[in-house]
């Protein structure tokens, strides 16, 4: 070894080596002591797990929650006298009575299938079924009865009504398909005539009120058609409203009077033009069922800069709060910059310290998001992680000893490249728009990242103290020395020298950098 003159520290360049195959390297270094800047042992990343999410697909449609509610119907029986000289009166019917029957416990034999029922629960007839962008009802039963002057039933028939609609995530007009089927007839009732009118409350317009014309039905026959609605909320506002239905049921040829069957869709529909904040560009209006919680999808394929998405997924799966899953988040447009500063900036008691040695263009990715009311937790309370792409999936490294990681920590700070943070921000913004998440809406988050694929043993089980490097890892150890430099007067202080370097390099190695320090002994 050539001695390096005093006062001029030696410099060596460590370069990355691209390997065609996964390789393990173990080097025992016996050079003289070096004096590198010490690394805080409490900040050394420790690999803890793969952050694979099962299915390899990304940006898939989120799992849509389904909820049910009973329609609001007119209670009791509604009766009207039959008209003098009418067919019913000539047959001995003094009155015609109609009852709108609420939910039935179990589906009856021969129940008619609803037209375009979509997400309807056919085992729960008589109830409305809801998803974020759909509603429907099946088996809403209307009973028609004729009675004589003594109150004796001389005939009856039943209608079953179904309705379904899909709301536009982009757009403010939609149609609702409605079907009426005569399911039973007895006595003097051999046919029924059903006419329907739909309406909606303030904030909405029914642009087509009647789904069909005519409507004479015999047992087993159906009639169907659509009604249409629209809503035009002003910019940065939302309109909420309900839909209502009135059905006139008579014997064929009889003149209908008051609507004798009516019901309301019990849940509000919301159309908004308020998804994006004032800096987010031109809003796109759309409609949803606001009482069904939105599920925002965030996904990253293997070719995407998905480090931040993988880190957020890891936090959701491994921290006790389970933000966005077991604990919903709440969108809050105002105060985003302040919440970011508390978690990642100078407003917290421990500002984010970029580690560009390990992560080029290191940027702070925080979860819960600053775009949520629950964000803005002091960064000193967060677990700090480095997500690392490995064999198609993601490994997660914790800064510090992973054995001491507290799952009760309320947040995570991820060391990710700027491009990965930007990618995740874009996913969140797109999710808010696709799911119509406006200010104060609660929402869940569903993450999808590639599943890990089979890999070399050294990649699957990196040693304690290893650091992420590209799609692999590196580990350097040192031995103590009495003096870092004996060629100067006075001789150098105690220090360390490299002892062993280990690496498991994937097909995408990390970038090398210069190494410097005194190496004479």
């Amino acid at each position: 070894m050539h001695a390096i003159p005093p006062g001029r520290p030696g410099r060596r360049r460590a370069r990355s080596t691209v390997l065609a195959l996964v390789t393990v390297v173990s080097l025992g270094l016996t050079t003289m002591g070096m004096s590198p800047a010490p690394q805080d042992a409490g900040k050394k990343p420790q690999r803890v797990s793969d952050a694979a999410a099962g299915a390899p697909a990304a940006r898939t449609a989120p799992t849509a929650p389904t909820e049910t509610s009973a329609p609001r119907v007119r209670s009791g029986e509604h009766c009207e006298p039959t008209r003098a000289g009418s067919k019913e009166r000539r047959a001995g019917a003094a009155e015609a009575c109609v009852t709108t029957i609420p939910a039935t416990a179990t589906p009856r034999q021969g129940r008619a299938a609803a037209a375009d029922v979509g997400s309807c629960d056919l085992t729960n007839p008589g109830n409305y079924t809801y998803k974020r962008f759909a509603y429907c009802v099946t088996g809403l039963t209307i009973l028609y009865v004729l009675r004589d002057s003594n109150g004796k039933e001389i005939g009856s028939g039943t209608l079953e009504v179904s309705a379904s609609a899909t709301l536009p995530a982009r757009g403010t007009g939609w149609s609702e398909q409605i079907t009426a089927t005569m399911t039973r007839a007895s006595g003097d009732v051999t046919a029924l005539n059903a006419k329907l009118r739909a309406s909606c409350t303030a904030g909405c317009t029914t642009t087509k009120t009647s789904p069909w014309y005519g409507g004479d039905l015999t047992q087993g026959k159906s009639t169907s058609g659509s009604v249409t609605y629209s809503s035009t909320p002003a910019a940065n506002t939302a309109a909420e409203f309900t839909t209502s239905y009135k059905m006139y049921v008579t014997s064929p040829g009889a003149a209908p009077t008051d609507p004798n069957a009516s019901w309301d869709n019990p849940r509000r529909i919301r159309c908004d033009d308020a998804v994006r904040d004032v800096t987010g560009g031109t809003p796109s209006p759309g409609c949803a069922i606001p009482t069904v919680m939105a599920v925002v999808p965030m996904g990253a394929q293997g070719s995407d800069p998905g480090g931040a998405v993988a880190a957020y997924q890891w936090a959701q799966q491994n921290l006790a709060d389970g933000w966005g899953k077991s604990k919903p988040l709440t969108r809050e447009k105002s105060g985003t910059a302040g919440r970011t500063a508390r978690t990642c900036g100078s407003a917290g008691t421990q500002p984010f310290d970029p580690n560009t040695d390990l992560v080029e263009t290191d940027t702070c990715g925080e979860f819960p998001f600053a775009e949520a009311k629950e964000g803005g937790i002091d960064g000193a309370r967060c677990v700090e992680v480095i997500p690392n792409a490995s064999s198609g999936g993601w490994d997660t490294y914790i800064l510090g000893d992973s054995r001491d990681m507290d799952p009760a920590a309320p947040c995570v700070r991820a060391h990710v490249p700027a491009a990965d943070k930007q990618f995740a921000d874009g996913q969140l913004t797109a999710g808010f728009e696709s799911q119509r998440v406006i200010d104060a809406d609660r929402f869940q988050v569903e993450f999808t990242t590639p599943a890990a694929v089979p890999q070399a043993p050294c990649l699957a089980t990196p040693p304690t103290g290893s650091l992420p490097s590209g799609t692999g890892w590196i580990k350097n150890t040192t031995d103590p020395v009495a003096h870092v430099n004996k060629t100067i007067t006075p001789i150098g202080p105690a220090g360390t020298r490299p002892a062993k370097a280990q690496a498991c390099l994937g097909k995408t190695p990390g970038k090398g950098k210069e190494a410097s320090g005194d190496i004479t002994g």
Side-chain angles (χ1 to χ4, degrees):
M1 176 178 292
H2 297 284
I4 297 178
R8 184 178 178 182
R11 299 180 68 83
R12 296 181 300 172
R13 181 178 297 272
R15 298 184 179 275
S16 299
T17 303
V18 179
L19 303 181
L21 299 175
V22 175
T23 306
V24 180
V25 181
S26 181
L27 301 176
L29 300 184
T30 57
T31 55
M32 302 302 292
M34 297 179 64
S35 182
Q39 182 179 19
D40 182 358
K43 283 290 187 179
K44 185 175 292 186
Q46 306 290 321
R47 179 180 180 271
V48 290
S49 68
D50 295 332
R59 303 189 191 97
T60 56
T63 303
T66 301
E67 300 179 10
T68 60
S69 292
R72 291 194 294 266
V73 301
R74 179 179 296 177
S75 60
E77 188 177 59
H78 176 77
C79 296
E80 292 182 354
T82 57
R83 290 193 175 186
S86 66
K87 178 181 177 181
E88 296 97 322
R89 181 67 64 88
R90 292 194 302 271
E95 66 177 1
C97 300
V98 174
T99 306
T100 306
I101 301 174
T104 306
T106 57
R108 293 198 300 273
Q109 190 73 15
R111 182 176 299 280
D116 189 27
V117 296
S119 61
C120 270
D121 181 358
L122 297 179
T123 66
N124 194 16
N127 286 295
Y128 272 89
T129 300
Y130 300 92
K131 292 188 176 182
R132 182 72 173 176
F133 296 104
Y135 62 89
C136 56
V137 63
T138 61
L140 184 64
T141 302
I142 298 171
L143 173 64
Y144 179 85
V145 177
L146 291 178
R147 294 191 176 95
D148 63 18
S149 57
N150 296 318
K152 180 182 178 181
E153 180 179 313
I154 61 174
S156 66
T158 56
L159 295 174
E160 291 198 5
V161 179
S162 64
S164 65
T166 299
L167 299 173
R170 289 175 177 262
T172 54
W174 70 99
S175 64
E176 181 178 350
Q177 187 76 12
I178 301 175
T179 297
T181 303
M182 187 172 183
T183 57
R184 189 179 63 85
S186 67
D188 289 346
V189 177
T190 57
L192 290 174
N193 180 273
K195 296 181 179 180
L196 185 140
R197 297 291 184 272
S199 62
C200 54
T201 55
C204 165
T205 300
T206 310
T207 54
K208 181 173 180 283
T209 61
S210 181
W212 59 75
Y213 297 93
D216 286 353
L217 299 171
T218 56
Q219 186 171 349
K221 300 298 182 180
S222 299
T223 184
S224 63
S226 61
V227 296
T228 57
Y229 309 90
S230 68
S231 177
T232 53
N236 297 314
T237 68
E240 295 190 4
F241 45 84
T242 57
T243 56
S244 300
Y245 310 87
K246 296 178 178 179
M247 182 171 278
Y248 303 79
V249 183
T250 64
S251 294
T257 54
D258 293 335
N260 41 31
S262 62
W263 67 94
D264 298 332
N265 183 338
R267 295 208 185 185
R268 294 169 286 111
I269 298 167
R270 183 183 73 198
C271 291
D272 76 85
D273 198 355
V275 167
R276 298 192 182 186
D277 58 30
V278 293
T279 62
T282 303
S284 175
C287 305
I289 304 293
T291 53
V292 179
M293 190 179 301
V295 181
V296 173
M298 293 187 71
Q301 298 180 15
S303 59
D304 292 326
V309 174
Y312 304 159
Q313 180 186 43
W314 179 89
Q316 186 184 78
Q317 294 175 346
N318 290 277
L319 299 185
D321 285 322
W323 291 115
K325 189 174 182 180
S326 54
K327 283 189 177 181
L329 297 167
T330 309
R331 188 177 183 191
E332 189 167 69
K333 290 183 179 181
S334 63
T336 301
R339 287 188 290 274
T340 297
R342 286 193 295 275
T343 303
C344 291
S346 58
T349 58
Q350 183 178 314
F352 181 77
D353 183 16
N355 191 334
T356 54
D357 285 348
L358 296 177
V359 181
E360 196 171 12
T361 68
D362 190 7
T363 306
C364 179
E366 74 270 34
F367 188 75
F369 312 114
E371 292 81 0
K373 179 181 179 181
E374 293 75 13
I377 300 169
D378 191 326
R381 302 176 62 197
C382 298
V383 177
E384 293 201 32
V385 301
I386 299 178
N388 188 57
S390 176
S391 298
W394 288 90
D395 294 335
T396 303
Y397 291 79
I398 295 177
L399 270 71
D401 191 336
S402 62
R403 294 168 298 182
D404 294 334
M405 192 276 288
D406 184 2
C411 53
V412 72
R413 293 199 300 195
H415 291 255
V416 294
D420 292 46
K421 176 65 164 62
Q422 185 177 12
F423 177 82
D425 289 347
Q427 290 269 293
L428 183 62
T429 298
F432 282 160
E433 185 164 352
S434 69
Q435 293 296 300
R436 308 306 313 175
V437 182
I438 67 173
D439 202 30
D441 268 0
R442 300 175 77 215
F443 65 96
Q444 293 180 312
V445 188
E446 188 171 274
F447 296 101
T448 53
T449 59
V453 299
Q455 55 186 332
C458 70
L459 288 175
T461 56
T464 300
S466 59
L467 306 177
S469 178
T471 54
W473 53 263
I474 59 174
K475 179 182 179 181
N476 296 319
T477 60
T478 59
D479 287 335
V481 294
H483 305 284
V484 297
N485 195 331
K486 299 179 183 179
T487 64
I488 59 175
T489 302
I491 59 177
T496 60
R497 67 178 179 183
K500 180 188 289 187
Q502 291 177 284
C504 184
L505 305 179
K507 292 184 178 180
T508 306
K511 293 184 177 180
K513 67 183 186 68
E514 288 189 346
S516 62
D518 297 325
I519 61 172
T520 57

